[in-house]
Amino acid sequence: MIPLRDNIPSARVPIVNYAIITANVLVFCYEVSLGPRAESFIEHWVSLGGRQADAFIMRWGLVPRHFALANLLTSMFLHGSWLHVLGNMLFLYIFGDNVEDRLGHLRYLLFYLLCGCAAGGAQALSSPGSRVPMVGASGAIAGVSGAYFLFFPGARVVTLVPIFFFLQVIEVPAVVFLLIWFLGQLMLGVAALGTHAGAGGVAFWAHVGGFVAGMVLGPTLRARPPAPRWA
């Protein structure tokens, strides 16, 4: 299922969300400017990191075996392909503006970064010996989705869904869309435990960890209404 838009307008311009999207696209454009990457992890090690793009990813991505706190932040602004970055930014564009509207600009920025760090930590714990760098904003965006799941239970998502051999555009309740996505990530993450799938490919546990972090941090950071002033 591919989300196209939701039906909840934001009350203010989501400047932080736009800034995060812009930063991700600009960083990926810089990655592309470094030249082609190795087509596989094995090719990367055979070339001994000779490619500039691979060296950049290894330096700033999150490598569980050589865990570094700073790379929790930097890795969430890196991506492996145009499809990777554009898919992530589509999700962030759809769900992020409303969460920023509910949290406020500065709280939303803090929330996004904390969810990304929690997601990276969850993935590193699931495969601590992996030497494959983890990159991508999907963990932080999963956190945004987790908060959206709680904040907007009545929202609906216009979704592109394959039905048999045709693509149909339908409205799906946001709680159903996000719950199906989360359960899918959870099942795939459990299936990957103890296998070589946990050493590369999709970071399922980053998605699970980010979503749970979003459900916890969203209500925690949500702006509280002022207390009533009694006469």
Side-chain angles (χ1 to χ4, degrees), residues 67-195:
F67 186 85
L69 290 175
N71 288 43
L72 280 174
L73 289 173
T74 57
S75 64
M76 70 179 79
F77 290 93
L78 306 177
H79 289 84
S81 67
W82 279 110
L83 184 61
H84 189 197
V85 67
L86 293 178
N88 277 347
M89 295 306 102
L90 174 62
F91 266 76
L92 185 58
Y93 176 78
I94 293 172
F95 299 116
D97 60 332
N98 301 112
V99 177
E100 180 177 350
D101 201 21
R102 188 60 58 91
L103 296 180
H105 303 309
L106 293 180
R107 285 190 181 92
Y108 177 70
L109 177 60
L110 176 62
F111 166 82
Y112 181 89
L113 296 176
L114 288 177
C115 285
C117 290
Q123 183 63 28
L125 287 174
S126 73
S127 53
S130 174
R131 294 186 296 171
V132 180
M134 189 192 81
V135 297
S138 54
I141 297 168
V144 172
S145 302
Y148 189 101
F149 181 83
L150 294 181
F151 289 163
F152 306 99
R156 302 182 72 84
V157 180
V158 178
T159 308
L160 188 64
V161 180
I163 300 177
F164 297 107
F165 300 103
F166 303 97
L167 293 175
Q168 297 289 332
V169 177
I170 62 175
E171 277 196 1
V172 179
V175 291
V176 173
F177 180 92
L178 294 173
L179 186 60
I180 291 174
W181 179 86
F182 173 74
L183 292 177
Q185 300 303 303
L186 180 60
M187 289 188 292
L188 291 170
V190 171
L193 288 175
T195 69

Side-chain angles (χ1 to χ4, degrees), residues 14-33:
I15 55 176
V16 173
N17 206 52
Y18 288 160
I20 292 172
I21 291 173
T22 302
N24 276 278
V25 173
L26 289 178
V27 170
F28 184 73
C29 288
Y30 176 73
E31 290 180 49
V32 172
S33 74

